[in-house]
Amino acid sequence: MTDTERNRLSARAARYARVGANVGGVAARMAGARFFGLTLDRGRNAMELAAALGGLKGPIMKVAQLMATVPDALPPEYVAELSKLQSEAPPMGWAFVKRRMIAELGPDWQQKFADFEHHPAAAASLGQVHRARAHDGAALACKLQYPDMQSAVEADLRQLNLIFAIHRRMDPAIDTTEIAKEIGARIREELDYQREAKHVALYRAMLADTDLIRVPRPWPELSTGRLLTLDWLEGDRMLAHRDDALAIRNRLAQAMFTAWWFPFSRVGVIHGDPHLGNYSVFQRDGEPGGINLLDYGCIRIFPPSFVGAVVDLYNGLMTGDDARRRSGKRGRSRCRGSSC
């Protein structure tokens, strides 16, 4: 069958135009205010930029999400607005949802669910999530990819490469070539929901013995390349617990560290998209018990040589063993410069 959403020149051209219109308008207003010496309303500008990026979806929005997590990279007004894009991006409407579900599961798709909520529970950069219920009563999370994301990704990555090229001319001390390659590889992988379902199964196996982290179960019969159905995991936002008792905050920090370090140090797998929208906190015995790990699109697999070097570096720093620390740094450098 012909893939009507493959990477196409016409769709990329439309993406370039949308990015220029949405972001260019905000940038022009900010530049004009500076040129004429007017006072900038950073709160309003931040809201307009977040709205423009939220409407665009895709990698550009994902980069904005990431920038909001880097300390002191942006003014606080921008951090506050762009952080909302992690879980409060503008959603696509019900008409889009119905068309997408028909394309993925067929015209009788609604009969495959006992219930399917019209309004999304969350909307992010590449897709949005709807709550549903299986015929056996299980709560489900259905992640639908936005239309023409393959073309949008390629168009956005091309523009990102141009930005990196300009940066290299201004600051040749930092070579951003490998950064651009890594971003491109990981975002392209995120478009493949069948690959993500395999990542979920892998994490369920890796973290099966810890009660601090919950991983959903994939539903292959209700999933495709652009629709991923998983168990719905109840939880609230991580930042809702920043003022909790120290013991609870330590428990959540331990859970997040385990979710990152345990798979990497033992299996060579790392969760590469750690913004807070990808976590929620579940309750156990009336208090926060740990974290739900929600998104598995951006997963990086490393060879044993690189993992061993990082573990050596970590142990060298912990024990003050300078020889082991230097060995770990050399191992990491060799790996970054090779095919691994």
Side-chain angles (χ1 to χ4, degrees):
M1 293 179 63
T2 301
D3 184 357
T4 60
E5 294 189 22
R6 68 190 186 281
N7 179 24
R8 331 187 289 287
L9 175 61
S10 59
R12 292 199 304 273
R15 177 68 174 183
Y16 293 138
R18 287 191 64 207
V19 171
N22 284 34
V23 180
V26 178
R29 286 193 293 274
M30 294 171 67
R34 285 178 175 162
F35 181 80
F36 291 108
L38 302 176
T39 301
L40 284 171
D41 185 342
R42 293 203 304 193
R44 179 181 177 185
N45 289 336
M47 292 178 62
E48 291 178 347
L49 181 60
L53 292 170
L56 287 170
K57 317 294 186 190
I60 282 184
M61 178 176 157
K62 183 171 283 292
V63 170
Q65 292 173 345
L66 179 61
M67 289 295 293
T69 68
V70 178
D72 301 322
L74 297 171
E77 295 89 347
Y78 288 83
V79 172
E81 291 299 325
L82 294 179
S83 295
K84 297 177 182 178
L85 295 177
Q86 294 172 359
S87 57
E88 298 178 8
M92 305 296 283
W94 178 239
F96 152 77
V97 174
K98 289 192 295 184
R99 288 195 301 272
R100 172 60 96 211
M101 293 299 291
I102 290 172
E104 300 307 316
L105 295 181
D108 63 341
W109 69 270
Q110 286 183 291
Q111 299 176 20
K112 299 179 181 181
F113 299 90
D115 183 58
F116 191 98
E117 293 189 2
H118 288 203
H119 189 76
S125 54
L126 302 181
Q128 64 189 44
V129 177
H130 288 256
R131 293 192 66 163
R133 189 166 298 280
H135 287 293
D136 66 359
L140 304 176
C142 299
K143 183 164 76 168
L144 275 170
Q145 192 174 117
Y146 298 128
D148 282 323
M149 274 295 102
Q150 191 173 351
S151 298
V153 162
E154 296 306 322
D156 286 4
L157 290 176
R158 184 178 180 85
Q159 295 182 85
L160 189 60
N161 284 332
L162 291 174
I163 293 172
F164 279 145
I166 294 171
H167 184 275
R168 285 195 296 272
R169 294 191 186 97
M170 296 174 62
D171 187 1
I174 301 177
D175 187 356
T176 55
T177 304
E178 292 301 318
I179 297 174
K181 289 181 181 178
E182 183 71 16
I183 291 174
R186 300 287 80 76
I187 290 180
R188 289 184 181 102
E189 287 178 358
E190 284 197 63
L191 294 177
D192 186 351
Y193 284 2
Q194 291 175 329
R195 182 188 184 97
E196 184 172 350
K198 295 177 182 178
H199 290 161
V200 177
L202 174 62
Y203 266 77
R204 281 179 63 83
M206 290 189 297
L207 300 174
D209 295 331
T210 177
D211 62 354
L212 287 173
I213 304 161
R214 292 180 177 175
V215 178
R217 174 184 43 157
W219 289 66
E221 68 275 19
L222 296 174
S223 300
T224 67
R226 296 187 178 104
L227 167 67
L228 177 59
T229 300
L230 306 171
D231 287 334
W232 178 273
L233 300 181
E234 290 289 349
D236 51 16
R237 295 181 183 178
M238 183 72 68
L239 290 180
H241 301 277
R242 57 187 168 187
D243 297 323
D244 284 5
L246 180 60
I248 291 176
R249 286 183 282 138
N250 283 343
R251 184 184 307 151
L252 298 180
Q254 180 185 354
M256 293 188 71
F257 180 78
T258 301
W260 181 82
W261 178 250
F262 186 97
F264 173 74
S265 61
R266 289 161 176 78
V267 187
V269 176
I270 195 170
H271 193 285
D273 192 6
H275 73 69
L276 296 184
N278 287 338
Y279 306 93
S280 65
V281 177
F282 65 80
Q283 298 288 314
R284 181 190 290 127
D285 299 328
E287 66 177 24
I291 65 169
N292 298 315
L293 194 53
L294 302 177
D295 189 283
Y296 301 83
C298 186
I299 302 297
R300 181 70 151 86
I301 300 173
F302 294 93
S305 58
F306 183 82
V307 176
V310 172
V311 172
D312 279 346
L313 176 60
Y314 172 80
N315 288 327
L317 292 171
M318 287 289 291
T319 62
D321 186 339
D322 288 341
R324 196 169 189 180
R325 177 175 57 81
R326 287 193 295 270
S327 175
K329 290 179 69 175
R330 286 195 299 270
R332 290 171 62 241
S333 298
R334 284 196 301 271
C335 188
R336 282 202 302 268
S338 68
S339 60
C340 63

